[in-house]
Amino acid sequence: MENLMVIGGATASGKSAVAVALARKIGGEVISCDSMQLYRGMDIGTATPTIEEMAGVQHHLLNVSDPAMDHLSAPEYREMALKVISQVKARGNIPILCGGTGLYIDALTKPRGFSVKGDDALRAELLKLDKQALHEKLASIDSAAAARLNVNDTRRVIRALEVFFLSGKTLTEHIQADAGRPGDYEGLLFALNWPRETLYARIDARVDEMMAAGLLDEVRFLRASGVPRDATAMQAIGYKELLAHLAGEEPLEMAVNRIKQSTRRYAKRQLTWFRGDSRTHWLDACEQNVDKIVEEIQMIWKKREEACKFSCPK
RNA sequence: GCCUUGGUAGCUCAGCUGGUAGAGCAGUAGACUGAAAAUCUACGUGUCGGUGGUUCAACUCCGCCCCGAGGCA
């Protein structure tokens, strides 16, 4: 299986700059792995790299779908990414995945089928039942999944039920089947590590920068162009809070504070995710500059490529 | 200087006719197979401002001191 370089980690940790520097050095192209940068018109709030920041490096999967119409998910991302990756390679360049959406990274680097398409009508139907009943229903068809899932995690309980109703096989059976097949790529994960306090300070500062850069106008424009408040894209941090403010539900200052706080919590969840992934190589970002980090990545990458050549010769 | 009032968890505050304290928020850790920037779970010891006294026992009552807020001079 081929290696795929992935720069993950928390939001505001400086992934993009590292990805660009790395790409310039090794002849790479960056493929975004961010569930929200996928949507158009959300550049400021999702910290999509600007043209200057891209510094001539080709970027992919940014601004590719309609926030009003689309609700993308992991398998759709996977499909798009697989296509882009093979195009990059056909050009003789090295694909560099960069982004903080852990599930999407796994979609490409772990055996995950996502084989049963969701059904909104069925979900709506199930949502009429109370959570207790849903959980009991799940226990009767897929006890392992029921044991794994909390009663209150209605979203996952419904998905587990949906998988069974639509495919005749339980979620647990799907997972077992997936475990037996290879992923698309062998992920080589990197994440930038900061002292928590520093990371949080960077987040707060970046939110202020976003506001100064016109995030409120960006949200206004999206609203004016008919993006519904309950669109998947509008669940993004920064957007849902400012939408609430624009709807007269809270003063701006409070909304901005909530954006900072949710971003901090989000970063924390991302750290939990990458910490739990034994593939992650943590790179100390605090005292090192981008060039040094890039060097470190190159070293690990080289070692991995050689090990791979040795252990799995074609 | 005098009077009033407050000082309890990182923050805002509750509490006890005396039996060494608890909420919200913040924070921390975790889960994650088609919404993932989403969704969900678990976690509450702190010189109760300081110091002396009364008491078997003081965060609670009393004295003095320190700090904050308001008022009167």
PDB file of all heavy atoms in Angstrom, chain A residues 35 76 114 153 155 159 175 265 269 275, chain B residues 26 29-30 33-34 36-39 41:
ATOM      1  N   SER A  35     -13.638  19.436   6.650  1.00  0.00           N
ATOM      2  CA  SER A  35     -15.047  19.254   6.300  1.00  0.00           C
ATOM      3  C   SER A  35     -15.740  20.569   5.954  1.00  0.00           C
ATOM      4  O   SER A  35     -16.773  20.558   5.294  1.00  0.00           O
ATOM      5  CB  SER A  35     -15.776  18.586   7.459  1.00  0.00           C
ATOM      6  OG  SER A  35     -15.781  19.435   8.588  1.00  0.00           O
ATOM      7  N   GLU A  76     -18.234  10.860   0.596  1.00  0.00           N
ATOM      8  CA  GLU A  76     -18.166  11.771  -0.549  1.00  0.00           C
ATOM      9  C   GLU A  76     -16.800  12.440  -0.598  1.00  0.00           C
ATOM     10  O   GLU A  76     -16.221  12.631  -1.664  1.00  0.00           O
ATOM     11  CB  GLU A  76     -19.258  12.847  -0.453  1.00  0.00           C
ATOM     12  CG  GLU A  76     -20.609  12.342  -0.908  1.00  0.00           C
ATOM     13  CD  GLU A  76     -21.706  12.572   0.111  1.00  0.00           C
ATOM     14  OE1 GLU A  76     -21.478  13.351   1.057  1.00  0.00           O
ATOM     15  OE2 GLU A  76     -22.778  11.959  -0.039  1.00  0.00           O
ATOM     16  N   PHE A 114     -17.974   2.755   4.830  1.00  0.00           N
ATOM     17  CA  PHE A 114     -19.102   3.695   4.744  1.00  0.00           C
ATOM     18  C   PHE A 114     -20.078   3.183   3.697  1.00  0.00           C
ATOM     19  O   PHE A 114     -20.486   3.918   2.810  1.00  0.00           O
ATOM     20  CB  PHE A 114     -18.625   5.088   4.335  1.00  0.00           C
ATOM     21  CG  PHE A 114     -17.692   5.718   5.318  1.00  0.00           C
ATOM     22  CD1 PHE A 114     -16.359   5.911   5.012  1.00  0.00           C
ATOM     23  CD2 PHE A 114     -18.160   6.129   6.551  1.00  0.00           C
ATOM     24  CE1 PHE A 114     -15.496   6.498   5.923  1.00  0.00           C
ATOM     25  CE2 PHE A 114     -17.292   6.729   7.467  1.00  0.00           C
ATOM     26  CZ  PHE A 114     -15.956   6.910   7.151  1.00  0.00           C
ATOM     27  N   ASP A 153     -26.716   9.579  22.640  1.00  0.00           N
ATOM     28  CA  ASP A 153     -26.071   9.862  21.356  1.00  0.00           C
ATOM     29  C   ASP A 153     -27.004   9.447  20.230  1.00  0.00           C
ATOM     30  O   ASP A 153     -26.691   8.586  19.410  1.00  0.00           O
ATOM     31  CB  ASP A 153     -24.725   9.141  21.264  1.00  0.00           C
ATOM     32  CG  ASP A 153     -23.778   9.795  20.270  1.00  0.00           C
ATOM     33  OD1 ASP A 153     -24.233  10.692  19.522  1.00  0.00           O
ATOM     34  OD2 ASP A 153     -22.594   9.421  20.242  1.00  0.00           O
ATOM     35  N   ARG A 155     -27.854  10.595  17.472  1.00  0.00           N
ATOM     36  CA  ARG A 155     -27.376  10.621  16.088  1.00  0.00           C
ATOM     37  C   ARG A 155     -26.747   9.293  15.693  1.00  0.00           C
ATOM     38  O   ARG A 155     -27.012   8.746  14.628  1.00  0.00           O
ATOM     39  CB  ARG A 155     -26.360  11.749  15.950  1.00  0.00           C
ATOM     40  CG  ARG A 155     -25.951  12.000  14.546  1.00  0.00           C
ATOM     41  CD  ARG A 155     -25.129  13.251  14.450  1.00  0.00           C
ATOM     42  NE  ARG A 155     -25.949  14.439  14.599  1.00  0.00           N
ATOM     43  CZ  ARG A 155     -25.520  15.664  14.345  1.00  0.00           C
ATOM     44  NH1 ARG A 155     -24.285  15.843  13.946  1.00  0.00           N
ATOM     45  NH2 ARG A 155     -26.300  16.698  14.507  1.00  0.00           N
ATOM     46  N   ARG A 159     -28.159   6.205  13.263  1.00  0.00           N
ATOM     47  CA  ARG A 159     -27.346   5.722  12.133  1.00  0.00           C
ATOM     48  C   ARG A 159     -27.210   4.199  12.195  1.00  0.00           C
ATOM     49  O   ARG A 159     -27.346   3.491  11.195  1.00  0.00           O
ATOM     50  CB  ARG A 159     -25.976   6.393  12.163  1.00  0.00           C
ATOM     51  CG  ARG A 159     -24.895   5.684  11.406  1.00  0.00           C
ATOM     52  CD  ARG A 159     -24.566   6.198  10.012  1.00  0.00           C
ATOM     53  NE  ARG A 159     -25.374   5.792   8.886  1.00  0.00           N
ATOM     54  CZ  ARG A 159     -24.927   5.136   7.815  1.00  0.00           C
ATOM     55  NH1 ARG A 159     -23.690   4.744   7.731  1.00  0.00           N
ATOM     56  NH2 ARG A 159     -25.702   4.884   6.812  1.00  0.00           N
ATOM     57  N   ILE A 175     -18.643  -3.189  10.282  1.00  0.00           N
ATOM     58  CA  ILE A 175     -17.333  -2.827  10.812  1.00  0.00           C
ATOM     59  C   ILE A 175     -16.386  -4.016  10.758  1.00  0.00           C
ATOM     60  O   ILE A 175     -15.219  -3.888  10.398  1.00  0.00           O
ATOM     61  CB  ILE A 175     -17.475  -2.294  12.256  1.00  0.00           C
ATOM     62  CG1 ILE A 175     -18.146  -0.920  12.213  1.00  0.00           C
ATOM     63  CG2 ILE A 175     -16.118  -2.210  12.941  1.00  0.00           C
ATOM     64  CD1 ILE A 175     -18.503  -0.348  13.573  1.00  0.00           C
ATOM     65  N   ARG A 265     -12.641  24.344  22.313  1.00  0.00           N
ATOM     66  CA  ARG A 265     -13.139  22.992  22.589  1.00  0.00           C
ATOM     67  C   ARG A 265     -12.935  22.077  21.381  1.00  0.00           C
ATOM     68  O   ARG A 265     -12.625  20.896  21.524  1.00  0.00           O
ATOM     69  CB  ARG A 265     -14.623  23.058  22.933  1.00  0.00           C
ATOM     70  CG  ARG A 265     -14.872  23.628  24.295  1.00  0.00           C
ATOM     71  CD  ARG A 265     -16.346  23.791  24.499  1.00  0.00           C
ATOM     72  NE  ARG A 265     -16.660  24.064  25.898  1.00  0.00           N
ATOM     73  CZ  ARG A 265     -17.842  24.484  26.310  1.00  0.00           C
ATOM     74  NH1 ARG A 265     -18.813  24.682  25.446  1.00  0.00           N
ATOM     75  NH2 ARG A 265     -18.067  24.687  27.582  1.00  0.00           N
ATOM     76  N   ARG A 269     -10.885  18.524  21.126  1.00  0.00           N
ATOM     77  CA  ARG A 269     -11.397  17.265  20.576  1.00  0.00           C
ATOM     78  C   ARG A 269     -10.467  16.740  19.484  1.00  0.00           C
ATOM     79  O   ARG A 269     -10.235  15.534  19.375  1.00  0.00           O
ATOM     80  CB  ARG A 269     -12.797  17.476  19.985  1.00  0.00           C
ATOM     81  CG  ARG A 269     -13.908  17.266  20.979  1.00  0.00           C
ATOM     82  CD  ARG A 269     -15.260  17.513  20.344  1.00  0.00           C
ATOM     83  NE  ARG A 269     -15.619  18.927  20.431  1.00  0.00           N
ATOM     84  CZ  ARG A 269     -16.049  19.669  19.433  1.00  0.00           C
ATOM     85  NH1 ARG A 269     -16.231  19.137  18.233  1.00  0.00           N
ATOM     86  NH2 ARG A 269     -16.335  20.928  19.606  1.00  0.00           N
ATOM     87  N   ARG A 275      -4.304  12.092  19.329  1.00  0.00           N
ATOM     88  CA  ARG A 275      -3.589  11.414  20.397  1.00  0.00           C
ATOM     89  C   ARG A 275      -3.951   9.935  20.402  1.00  0.00           C
ATOM     90  O   ARG A 275      -3.144   9.065  20.702  1.00  0.00           O
ATOM     91  CB  ARG A 275      -4.004  12.033  21.738  1.00  0.00           C
ATOM     92  CG  ARG A 275      -2.845  12.494  22.577  1.00  0.00           C
ATOM     93  CD  ARG A 275      -3.354  12.953  23.930  1.00  0.00           C
ATOM     94  NE  ARG A 275      -3.542  14.386  23.987  1.00  0.00           N
ATOM     95  CZ  ARG A 275      -4.641  15.004  24.407  1.00  0.00           C
ATOM     96  NH1 ARG A 275      -5.692  14.318  24.818  1.00  0.00           N
ATOM     97  NH2 ARG A 275      -4.705  16.303  24.435  1.00  0.00           N
TER      98      ARG A 275
ATOM     99  P     A B  26     -18.908  26.646  29.621  1.00  0.00           P
ATOM    100  OP1   A B  26     -18.953  26.925  28.177  1.00  0.00           O
ATOM    101  OP2   A B  26     -19.196  25.285  30.121  1.00  0.00           O
ATOM    102  O5'   A B  26     -17.490  27.097  30.207  1.00  0.00           O
ATOM    103  C5'   A B  26     -16.917  28.351  29.835  1.00  0.00           C
ATOM    104  C4'   A B  26     -15.620  28.553  30.602  1.00  0.00           C
ATOM    105  O4'   A B  26     -15.889  28.497  32.024  1.00  0.00           O
ATOM    106  C3'   A B  26     -14.561  27.485  30.390  1.00  0.00           C
ATOM    107  O3'   A B  26     -13.802  27.688  29.211  1.00  0.00           O
ATOM    108  C2'   A B  26     -13.701  27.685  31.636  1.00  0.00           C
ATOM    109  O2'   A B  26     -12.875  28.813  31.537  1.00  0.00           O
ATOM    110  C1'   A B  26     -14.791  27.908  32.693  1.00  0.00           C
ATOM    111  N9    A B  26     -15.202  26.628  33.262  1.00  0.00           N
ATOM    112  C8    A B  26     -16.348  25.912  33.007  1.00  0.00           C
ATOM    113  N7    A B  26     -16.420  24.774  33.646  1.00  0.00           N
ATOM    114  C5    A B  26     -15.238  24.724  34.366  1.00  0.00           C
ATOM    115  C6    A B  26     -14.711  23.772  35.241  1.00  0.00           C
ATOM    116  N6    A B  26     -15.320  22.627  35.554  1.00  0.00           N
ATOM    117  N1    A B  26     -13.497  24.025  35.790  1.00  0.00           N
ATOM    118  C2    A B  26     -12.871  25.167  35.478  1.00  0.00           C
ATOM    119  N3    A B  26     -13.270  26.151  34.666  1.00  0.00           N
ATOM    120  C4    A B  26     -14.476  25.862  34.136  1.00  0.00           C
ATOM    121  P     A B  29      -6.634  17.337  28.460  1.00  0.00           P
ATOM    122  OP1   A B  29      -5.220  17.097  28.173  1.00  0.00           O
ATOM    123  OP2   A B  29      -7.474  18.054  27.493  1.00  0.00           O
ATOM    124  O5'   A B  29      -7.348  15.955  28.790  1.00  0.00           O
ATOM    125  C5'   A B  29      -6.680  14.984  29.601  1.00  0.00           C
ATOM    126  C4'   A B  29      -7.594  13.819  29.857  1.00  0.00           C
ATOM    127  O4'   A B  29      -8.791  14.283  30.540  1.00  0.00           O
ATOM    128  C3'   A B  29      -8.148  13.132  28.614  1.00  0.00           C
ATOM    129  O3'   A B  29      -7.213  12.257  28.020  1.00  0.00           O
ATOM    130  C2'   A B  29      -9.353  12.404  29.205  1.00  0.00           C
ATOM    131  O2'   A B  29      -8.942  11.293  29.964  1.00  0.00           O
ATOM    132  C1'   A B  29      -9.900  13.488  30.132  1.00  0.00           C
ATOM    133  N9    A B  29     -10.860  14.339  29.421  1.00  0.00           N
ATOM    134  C8    A B  29     -10.666  15.584  28.877  1.00  0.00           C
ATOM    135  N7    A B  29     -11.723  16.073  28.291  1.00  0.00           N
ATOM    136  C5    A B  29     -12.682  15.077  28.437  1.00  0.00           C
ATOM    137  C6    A B  29     -14.024  14.984  28.021  1.00  0.00           C
ATOM    138  N6    A B  29     -14.662  15.931  27.353  1.00  0.00           N
ATOM    139  N1    A B  29     -14.703  13.849  28.329  1.00  0.00           N
ATOM    140  C2    A B  29     -14.059  12.883  28.996  1.00  0.00           C
ATOM    141  N3    A B  29     -12.798  12.863  29.449  1.00  0.00           N
ATOM    142  C4    A B  29     -12.164  14.002  29.130  1.00  0.00           C
ATOM    143  P     G B  30      -7.288  12.018  26.422  1.00  0.00           P
ATOM    144  OP1   G B  30      -6.116  11.189  26.076  1.00  0.00           O
ATOM    145  OP2   G B  30      -7.496  13.310  25.747  1.00  0.00           O
ATOM    146  O5'   G B  30      -8.626  11.175  26.231  1.00  0.00           O
ATOM    147  C5'   G B  30      -8.739   9.882  26.797  1.00  0.00           C
ATOM    148  C4'   G B  30     -10.168   9.420  26.763  1.00  0.00           C
ATOM    149  O4'   G B  30     -11.043  10.420  27.340  1.00  0.00           O
ATOM    150  C3'   G B  30     -10.794   9.182  25.397  1.00  0.00           C
ATOM    151  O3'   G B  30     -10.350   7.972  24.830  1.00  0.00           O
ATOM    152  C2'   G B  30     -12.265   9.118  25.782  1.00  0.00           C
ATOM    153  O2'   G B  30     -12.563   7.914  26.446  1.00  0.00           O
ATOM    154  C1'   G B  30     -12.352  10.267  26.779  1.00  0.00           C
ATOM    155  N9    G B  30     -12.764  11.515  26.132  1.00  0.00           N
ATOM    156  C8    G B  30     -12.012  12.633  25.904  1.00  0.00           C
ATOM    157  N7    G B  30     -12.688  13.570  25.290  1.00  0.00           N
ATOM    158  C5    G B  30     -13.957  13.037  25.108  1.00  0.00           C
ATOM    159  C6    G B  30     -15.121  13.579  24.502  1.00  0.00           C
ATOM    160  O6    G B  30     -15.265  14.694  23.997  1.00  0.00           O
ATOM    161  N1    G B  30     -16.186  12.682  24.521  1.00  0.00           N
ATOM    162  C2    G B  30     -16.139  11.425  25.050  1.00  0.00           C
ATOM    163  N2    G B  30     -17.261  10.711  24.972  1.00  0.00           N
ATOM    164  N3    G B  30     -15.058  10.896  25.629  1.00  0.00           N
ATOM    165  C4    G B  30     -14.017  11.761  25.618  1.00  0.00           C
ATOM    166  P     U B  33     -18.690   5.753  14.955  1.00  0.00           P
ATOM    167  OP1   U B  33     -19.888   6.467  14.517  1.00  0.00           O
ATOM    168  OP2   U B  33     -18.778   4.536  15.785  1.00  0.00           O
ATOM    169  O5'   U B  33     -17.793   5.432  13.681  1.00  0.00           O
ATOM    170  C5'   U B  33     -17.518   6.445  12.741  1.00  0.00           C
ATOM    171  C4'   U B  33     -17.800   5.926  11.350  1.00  0.00           C
ATOM    172  O4'   U B  33     -16.831   4.912  11.026  1.00  0.00           O
ATOM    173  C3'   U B  33     -19.170   5.289  11.191  1.00  0.00           C
ATOM    174  O3'   U B  33     -19.691   5.666   9.936  1.00  0.00           O
ATOM    175  C2'   U B  33     -18.873   3.792  11.202  1.00  0.00           C
ATOM    176  O2'   U B  33     -19.766   3.052  10.399  1.00  0.00           O
ATOM    177  C1'   U B  33     -17.504   3.760  10.557  1.00  0.00           C
ATOM    178  N1    U B  33     -16.704   2.568  10.887  1.00  0.00           N
ATOM    179  C2    U B  33     -16.450   1.696   9.849  1.00  0.00           C
ATOM    180  O2    U B  33     -16.839   1.889   8.714  1.00  0.00           O
ATOM    181  N3    U B  33     -15.722   0.595  10.191  1.00  0.00           N
ATOM    182  C4    U B  33     -15.229   0.288  11.422  1.00  0.00           C
ATOM    183  O4    U B  33     -14.575  -0.735  11.581  1.00  0.00           O
ATOM    184  C5    U B  33     -15.535   1.254  12.466  1.00  0.00           C
ATOM    185  C6    U B  33     -16.249   2.331  12.160  1.00  0.00           C
ATOM    186  P     G B  34     -21.224   6.130   9.834  1.00  0.00           P
ATOM    187  OP1   G B  34     -21.569   7.076  10.922  1.00  0.00           O
ATOM    188  OP2   G B  34     -22.071   4.967   9.568  1.00  0.00           O
ATOM    189  O5'   G B  34     -21.100   6.953   8.485  1.00  0.00           O
ATOM    190  C5'   G B  34     -20.485   8.233   8.510  1.00  0.00           C
ATOM    191  C4'   G B  34     -21.231   9.110   7.568  1.00  0.00           C
ATOM    192  O4'   G B  34     -21.058   8.603   6.223  1.00  0.00           O
ATOM    193  C3'   G B  34     -22.734   9.188   7.798  1.00  0.00           C
ATOM    194  O3'   G B  34     -23.119  10.490   7.421  1.00  0.00           O
ATOM    195  C2'   G B  34     -23.292   8.212   6.771  1.00  0.00           C
ATOM    196  O2'   G B  34     -24.599   8.561   6.345  1.00  0.00           O
ATOM    197  C1'   G B  34     -22.328   8.433   5.632  1.00  0.00           C
ATOM    198  N9    G B  34     -22.219   7.380   4.653  1.00  0.00           N
ATOM    199  C8    G B  34     -21.870   6.069   4.820  1.00  0.00           C
ATOM    200  N7    G B  34     -21.856   5.411   3.706  1.00  0.00           N
ATOM    201  C5    G B  34     -22.223   6.342   2.744  1.00  0.00           C
ATOM    202  C6    G B  34     -22.380   6.216   1.345  1.00  0.00           C
ATOM    203  O6    G B  34     -22.211   5.203   0.660  1.00  0.00           O
ATOM    204  N1    G B  34     -22.772   7.408   0.753  1.00  0.00           N
ATOM    205  C2    G B  34     -22.973   8.573   1.430  1.00  0.00           C
ATOM    206  N2    G B  34     -23.335   9.613   0.701  1.00  0.00           N
ATOM    207  N3    G B  34     -22.822   8.720   2.740  1.00  0.00           N
ATOM    208  C4    G B  34     -22.453   7.569   3.320  1.00  0.00           C
ATOM    209  P     A B  36     -19.908  16.681   8.414  1.00  0.00           P
ATOM    210  OP1   A B  36     -19.999  18.090   8.043  1.00  0.00           O
ATOM    211  OP2   A B  36     -19.543  15.636   7.456  1.00  0.00           O
ATOM    212  O5'   A B  36     -18.933  16.511   9.671  1.00  0.00           O
ATOM    213  C5'   A B  36     -18.897  17.535  10.664  1.00  0.00           C
ATOM    214  C4'   A B  36     -17.888  17.149  11.719  1.00  0.00           C
ATOM    215  O4'   A B  36     -18.400  16.032  12.461  1.00  0.00           O
ATOM    216  C3'   A B  36     -16.545  16.712  11.151  1.00  0.00           C
ATOM    217  O3'   A B  36     -15.529  17.078  12.063  1.00  0.00           O
ATOM    218  C2'   A B  36     -16.632  15.203  11.170  1.00  0.00           C
ATOM    219  O2'   A B  36     -15.391  14.572  11.316  1.00  0.00           O
ATOM    220  C1'   A B  36     -17.463  14.981  12.423  1.00  0.00           C
ATOM    221  N9    A B  36     -18.172  13.703  12.447  1.00  0.00           N
ATOM    222  C8    A B  36     -19.397  13.372  11.945  1.00  0.00           C
ATOM    223  N7    A B  36     -19.750  12.129  12.160  1.00  0.00           N
ATOM    224  C5    A B  36     -18.690  11.604  12.849  1.00  0.00           C
ATOM    225  C6    A B  36     -18.440  10.333  13.367  1.00  0.00           C
ATOM    226  N6    A B  36     -19.285   9.321  13.272  1.00  0.00           N
ATOM    227  N1    A B  36     -17.272  10.129  13.997  1.00  0.00           N
ATOM    228  C2    A B  36     -16.417  11.152  14.098  1.00  0.00           C
ATOM    229  N3    A B  36     -16.525  12.397  13.654  1.00  0.00           N
ATOM    230  C4    A B  36     -17.703  12.564  13.037  1.00  0.00           C
ATOM    231  P     A B  37     -14.709  18.351  11.769  1.00  0.00           P
ATOM    232  OP1   A B  37     -14.763  18.671  10.359  1.00  0.00           O
ATOM    233  OP2   A B  37     -13.428  18.061  12.403  1.00  0.00           O
ATOM    234  O5'   A B  37     -15.409  19.532  12.594  1.00  0.00           O
ATOM    235  C5'   A B  37     -15.359  19.527  14.010  1.00  0.00           C
ATOM    236  C4'   A B  37     -15.968  20.823  14.496  1.00  0.00           C
ATOM    237  O4'   A B  37     -15.228  21.914  13.924  1.00  0.00           O
ATOM    238  C3'   A B  37     -17.405  21.027  14.055  1.00  0.00           C
ATOM    239  O3'   A B  37     -18.059  21.863  14.979  1.00  0.00           O
ATOM    240  C2'   A B  37     -17.247  21.747  12.716  1.00  0.00           C
ATOM    241  O2'   A B  37     -18.346  22.580  12.416  1.00  0.00           O
ATOM    242  C1'   A B  37     -16.038  22.622  13.004  1.00  0.00           C
ATOM    243  N9    A B  37     -15.190  22.953  11.842  1.00  0.00           N
ATOM    244  C8    A B  37     -14.588  22.127  10.951  1.00  0.00           C
ATOM    245  N7    A B  37     -13.837  22.743  10.066  1.00  0.00           N
ATOM    246  C5    A B  37     -13.948  24.081  10.420  1.00  0.00           C
ATOM    247  C6    A B  37     -13.401  25.255   9.894  1.00  0.00           C
ATOM    248  N6    A B  37     -12.561  25.260   8.864  1.00  0.00           N
ATOM    249  N1    A B  37     -13.738  26.422  10.467  1.00  0.00           N
ATOM    250  C2    A B  37     -14.557  26.394  11.512  1.00  0.00           C
ATOM    251  N3    A B  37     -15.148  25.361  12.122  1.00  0.00           N
ATOM    252  C4    A B  37     -14.794  24.224  11.519  1.00  0.00           C
ATOM    253  P     A B  38     -18.703  21.533  16.324  1.00  0.00           P
ATOM    254  OP1   A B  38     -19.253  22.764  16.906  1.00  0.00           O
ATOM    255  OP2   A B  38     -17.760  20.719  17.099  1.00  0.00           O
ATOM    256  O5'   A B  38     -19.914  20.597  15.913  1.00  0.00           O
ATOM    257  C5'   A B  38     -20.916  21.047  15.012  1.00  0.00           C
ATOM    258  C4'   A B  38     -21.694  19.838  14.581  1.00  0.00           C
ATOM    259  O4'   A B  38     -20.797  18.939  13.888  1.00  0.00           O
ATOM    260  C3'   A B  38     -22.248  19.000  15.718  1.00  0.00           C
ATOM    261  O3'   A B  38     -23.479  19.519  16.173  1.00  0.00           O
ATOM    262  C2'   A B  38     -22.415  17.651  15.034  1.00  0.00           C
ATOM    263  O2'   A B  38     -23.532  17.655  14.185  1.00  0.00           O
ATOM    264  C1'   A B  38     -21.148  17.597  14.194  1.00  0.00           C
ATOM    265  N9    A B  38     -20.038  16.965  14.909  1.00  0.00           N
ATOM    266  C8    A B  38     -18.879  17.537  15.387  1.00  0.00           C
ATOM    267  N7    A B  38     -18.069  16.692  15.971  1.00  0.00           N
ATOM    268  C5    A B  38     -18.740  15.482  15.889  1.00  0.00           C
ATOM    269  C6    A B  38     -18.417  14.196  16.322  1.00  0.00           C
ATOM    270  N6    A B  38     -17.291  13.892  16.953  1.00  0.00           N
ATOM    271  N1    A B  38     -19.313  13.213  16.086  1.00  0.00           N
ATOM    272  C2    A B  38     -20.450  13.511  15.454  1.00  0.00           C
ATOM    273  N3    A B  38     -20.871  14.688  14.986  1.00  0.00           N
ATOM    274  C4    A B  38     -19.953  15.642  15.238  1.00  0.00           C
ATOM    275  P     U B  39     -23.770  19.571  17.732  1.00  0.00           P
ATOM    276  OP1   U B  39     -25.120  20.140  17.887  1.00  0.00           O
ATOM    277  OP2   U B  39     -22.628  20.172  18.437  1.00  0.00           O
ATOM    278  O5'   U B  39     -23.810  18.023  18.125  1.00  0.00           O
ATOM    279  C5'   U B  39     -24.847  17.190  17.624  1.00  0.00           C
ATOM    280  C4'   U B  39     -24.570  15.760  17.997  1.00  0.00           C
ATOM    281  O4'   U B  39     -23.333  15.322  17.375  1.00  0.00           O
ATOM    282  C3'   U B  39     -24.301  15.512  19.476  1.00  0.00           C
ATOM    283  O3'   U B  39     -25.501  15.501  20.236  1.00  0.00           O
ATOM    284  C2'   U B  39     -23.640  14.141  19.410  1.00  0.00           C
ATOM    285  O2'   U B  39     -24.577  13.137  19.128  1.00  0.00           O
ATOM    286  C1'   U B  39     -22.734  14.325  18.190  1.00  0.00           C
ATOM    287  N1    U B  39     -21.384  14.772  18.594  1.00  0.00           N
ATOM    288  C2    U B  39     -20.507  13.811  19.079  1.00  0.00           C
ATOM    289  O2    U B  39     -20.813  12.627  19.163  1.00  0.00           O
ATOM    290  N3    U B  39     -19.280  14.265  19.459  1.00  0.00           N
ATOM    291  C4    U B  39     -18.842  15.571  19.416  1.00  0.00           C
ATOM    292  O4    U B  39     -17.694  15.837  19.795  1.00  0.00           O
ATOM    293  C5    U B  39     -19.796  16.523  18.914  1.00  0.00           C
ATOM    294  C6    U B  39     -21.009  16.097  18.527  1.00  0.00           C
ATOM    295  P     U B  41     -24.361  12.966  26.976  1.00  0.00           P
ATOM    296  OP1   U B  41     -25.574  12.631  27.735  1.00  0.00           O
ATOM    297  OP2   U B  41     -23.909  14.371  26.891  1.00  0.00           O
ATOM    298  O5'   U B  41     -23.139  12.102  27.525  1.00  0.00           O
ATOM    299  C5'   U B  41     -23.274  10.692  27.666  1.00  0.00           C
ATOM    300  C4'   U B  41     -21.989  10.112  28.214  1.00  0.00           C
ATOM    301  O4'   U B  41     -20.907  10.326  27.266  1.00  0.00           O
ATOM    302  C3'   U B  41     -21.481  10.749  29.489  1.00  0.00           C
ATOM    303  O3'   U B  41     -22.152  10.234  30.622  1.00  0.00           O
ATOM    304  C2'   U B  41     -20.012  10.329  29.459  1.00  0.00           C
ATOM    305  O2'   U B  41     -19.852   8.963  29.781  1.00  0.00           O
ATOM    306  C1'   U B  41     -19.686  10.510  27.969  1.00  0.00           C
ATOM    307  N1    U B  41     -19.150  11.849  27.672  1.00  0.00           N
ATOM    308  C2    U B  41     -17.812  12.082  27.980  1.00  0.00           C
ATOM    309  O2    U B  41     -17.102  11.238  28.488  1.00  0.00           O
ATOM    310  N3    U B  41     -17.349  13.338  27.660  1.00  0.00           N
ATOM    311  C4    U B  41     -18.072  14.358  27.086  1.00  0.00           C
ATOM    312  O4    U B  41     -17.523  15.428  26.856  1.00  0.00           O
ATOM    313  C5    U B  41     -19.445  14.044  26.808  1.00  0.00           C
ATOM    314  C6    U B  41     -19.929  12.823  27.105  1.00  0.00           C
TER     315        U B  41
END
